[in-house]
Amino acid sequence: MVKKVTQTTDATSAGATPTEAMFAADEASRALGIELREQGEGTATLRMTVTPAMVNGHHIAHGGYLFLLADTAFACACNSHGPVTVAAGADIDFVAPAYEGDVLVATARERTRFGRSGIYDVTVLRGDDVIAEFRGRSRSIRSTTTKESQ
């Protein structure tokens, strides 16, 4: 089931899904104006507007920002099942340039999960135009303990 997200859910909210909790704690993505629009098991849709700070010397969106948008959608989709899941690797193909002011939508879909691993595809669109195709490989980790909490 896909859930439309109408506002950012506080990570401490009792009703927050794993995706909403993770995204609420993602300062990097939220600071860039990325919005979680929809989420469900193995899927997520995010939106970002290309700002002047995201444009490179060729007057197009820097590929790093496009990768970050796709990677964030991937993270939301692969963490939707509950266990903390991280990227094991990812690739992106830039299909068309994006420009300042463009509203980009990244939709992530789970292709398969096996053991603690998964494969996810993300398409980044500007309207109906494909801007980038991303494939992420995930790995669920056994513990949520961080160095700081040890």
Side-chain angles (χ1 to χ4, degrees):
M1 180 173 150
V2 174
K3 177 182 177 185
K4 289 204 181 281
V5 179
T6 56
Q7 62 184 354
T8 302
T9 303
D10 184 344
T12 61
S13 297
T17 66
T19 298
E20 290 167 332
M22 184 207 66
F23 188 75
D26 184 348
E27 294 290 334
S29 297
R30 290 187 305 107
L32 292 172
I34 295 175
E35 303 169 11
L36 175 62
R37 305 300 293 174
E38 294 181 2
Q39 54 95 23
E41 283 202 22
T43 187
T45 301
L46 285 76
R47 181 173 66 185
M48 177 184 83
T49 300
V50 178
T51 68
M54 297 175 183
V55 175
N56 65 21
H58 299 296
H59 307 288
I60 59 176
H62 189 289
Y65 289 104
L66 301 177
F67 187 97
L68 188 143
L69 173 62
D71 185 57
T72 302
F74 161 53
C76 288
C78 69
N79 278 279
S80 66
H81 299 288
V84 174
T85 305
V86 297
D91 300 294
I92 192 164
D93 290 304
F94 301 111
V95 177
Y99 301 96
E100 180 182 335
D102 284 353
V103 176
L104 305 178
V105 175
T107 301
R109 290 184 182 83
E110 182 178 279
R111 302 298 295 153
T112 188
R113 284 192 306 152
F114 48 100
R116 292 177 23 230
S117 299
I119 298 173
Y120 294 77
D121 286 337
V122 182
T123 300
V124 178
L125 298 173
R126 175 188 53 230
D128 292 330
D129 297 329
V130 175
I131 300 300
E133 291 288 349
F134 172 105
R135 173 159 277 190
R137 297 169 304 284
S138 68
R139 184 77 170 168
S140 294
I141 59 176
R142 295 182 195 274
S143 170
T144 59
T145 304
T146 63
K147 283 185 175 182
E148 292 79 22
S149 66
Q150 292 179 352

